[in-house]
Amino acid sequence: METNGVRLTPEGARAALADTEHVRASAAAVSATPWPTWFFVTLTLYIAALPIVYGGMTADSDWLLPRPAWMGIMLATTAVYGALFAVAARAWRDKTGVALRFDVLPKRATVPLAVGLPVLLVGAAFAFRATGRPVWLIAASLISAAASVGFHLAFVRLHRKTA
């Protein structure tokens, strides 16, 4: 096969494929770079607050605040989080030229987190409603914050390993 009048040898083809693989690995490493620190802190605080807000929303009677106040807090924090996520994603894309990606993360870490975290967040609210003991909410909040920190540290380690 000829390309621009130059005959491609098997060795040249292998070298071109290796270069392509190197570019692909570099792009994956760049897109796996950790979140900005400010967004990591925002995400951790948001995840830590969710069990308590869910608990307030699902309580049998008004708990600490009236139920409509809990709904307002949930809507406001979710809106702020969504806006900050968009800012972080745009800043990252402007800085690197690569969109934030989750598909480069190992499935053995993301799948349990994607399944377990919602179960933890919502389950704690139901346990609180059933027992009336806020210890469920506090425990879920602390576990969620620890999961966020652990996931961020794994993200950082992944980036260092691929960079």
Side-chain angles (χ1 to χ4, degrees):
M1 174 178 175
E2 288 193 29
T3 307
N4 296 334
V6 177
R7 185 159 179 87
L8 193 58
T9 65
E11 293 80 23
R14 283 188 206 96
L17 286 173
D19 287 344
T20 302
E21 187 57 36
H22 177 70
V23 168
R24 186 177 296 134
S26 295
V30 167
S31 62
T33 300
W35 299 108
T37 302
W38 66 265
F39 186 72
F40 157 65
V41 171
T42 301
L43 176 62
T44 301
L45 291 174
Y46 177 71
I47 288 174
L50 282 177
I52 296 166
V53 175
Y54 284 152
M57 289 174 27
T58 62
D60 284 334
S61 60
D62 290 345
W63 176 69
L64 300 179
L65 296 171
R67 191 171 287 151
W70 287 114
M71 292 293 279
I73 291 169
M74 176 58 103
L75 292 173
T77 57
T78 302
V80 168
Y81 170 74
L84 290 175
F85 180 84
V87 168
R90 172 160 288 163
W92 179 249
R93 190 173 42 251
D94 291 346
K95 179 180 174 185
T96 65
V98 179
L100 288 171
R101 296 174 45 196
F102 295 102
D103 63 330
V104 297
L105 298 173
K107 301 277 188 269
R108 70 180 185 278
T110 55
V111 170
L113 187 70
V115 172
L117 197 57
V119 169
L120 175 69
L121 298 175
V122 176
F126 284 120
F128 169 68
R129 182 181 170 110
T131 65
R133 298 183 63 202
V135 69
W136 293 102
L137 304 176
I138 295 166
S141 181
L142 293 173
I143 293 168
S144 299
S148 176
V149 170
F151 197 74
H152 179 73
L153 293 175
F155 207 25
V156 168
R157 190 182 68 176
L158 174 69
H159 173 66
R160 286 186 185 143
K161 187 186 291 185
T162 58

